[in-house]
Amino acid sequence: MIEHPRADELIEAVAGWVESIRPQLNPRDAFLSRVAVNALNAVKRELIQGPAAEAAAVARLSALLGVEGDLKALNAELCERLRRGEMGVATPGLIPALKAGIEDQIAIDQPSYVSVKVRLNPNSRRKPWPPHKSGPTRSSTRSPRASRPSPSTGPTG
């Protein structure tokens, strides 16, 4: 019996090869190879996680809208109801459904994103982002723009 490598295995092999030659590349090509590996890894995650994420989205949207359909049709129906004002932020279940869909997509596109890591690993010790507003923020610790010297007020000579 002939067994072909799965698509995710082929992607992993190509990404591994690109990573193995990256140290030998000039800085620009090394950067571009890293971008390529990231893209390949996103495709691999889409192949592996995408079907379950889509099935979950279809289930959520079907329950929310009270109709059956594929993801494209359900998204179109949701958009139409939002445009007509039949649904909005006060619609029960809308925000949690949208949030779950976003989290599933981020888990595929950017799995290192902090909120996804925390959601997937509730025992994570990472602090939530953004920080609480009670402490100093980056913008509050900066000196005001007006206190910076402008080119026209600098020394002349």
Side-chain angles (χ1 to χ4, degrees):
M1 181 168 144
I2 299 174
E3 291 188 20
H4 298 283
R6 295 186 326 260
D8 62 305
E9 293 171 330
L10 292 171
I11 291 168
E12 188 173 341
V14 172
W17 177 79
V18 172
E19 278 294 324
S20 74
I21 66 164
R22 188 163 53 101
Q24 304 161 22
L25 300 174
N26 66 53
R28 180 180 182 277
D29 290 339
F31 170 77
L32 293 175
S33 73
R34 188 72 192 129
V35 171
V37 167
N38 287 339
L40 288 168
N41 287 331
V43 170
K44 179 182 171 188
R45 288 187 301 272
E46 180 68 37
L47 288 170
I48 293 170
Q49 298 170 257
E54 184 170 329
V58 167
R60 280 190 302 270
L61 291 175
S62 292
L64 179 69
L65 300 169
V67 297
E68 299 294 321
D70 64 14
L71 185 57
K72 184 175 181 179
L74 291 168
N75 273 329
E77 178 66 23
L78 175 62
C79 290
E80 188 56 36
R81 289 185 190 189
L82 290 168
R83 271 192 288 276
R84 290 191 308 245
E86 295 171 13
M87 296 181 92
V89 295
T91 302
L94 176 63
I95 299 301
L98 295 175
K99 183 179 176 187
I102 291 166
E103 288 174 343
D104 286 348
Q105 190 62 53
I106 291 172
I108 292 170
D109 295 342
Q110 287 292 329
S112 61
Y113 192 71
V114 173
S115 68
V116 172
K117 278 188 171 180
V118 170
R119 180 178 67 96
L120 295 176
N121 181 8
N123 298 323
S124 173
R125 293 180 186 239
R126 284 193 123 160
K127 294 187 178 174
W129 183 258
H132 297 289
K133 301 226 179 208
S134 60
T137 62
R138 185 182 293 192
S139 61
S140 68
T141 58
R142 287 187 185 156
S143 57
R145 184 174 283 280
S147 67
R148 295 181 190 155
S150 70
S152 62
T153 61
T156 57

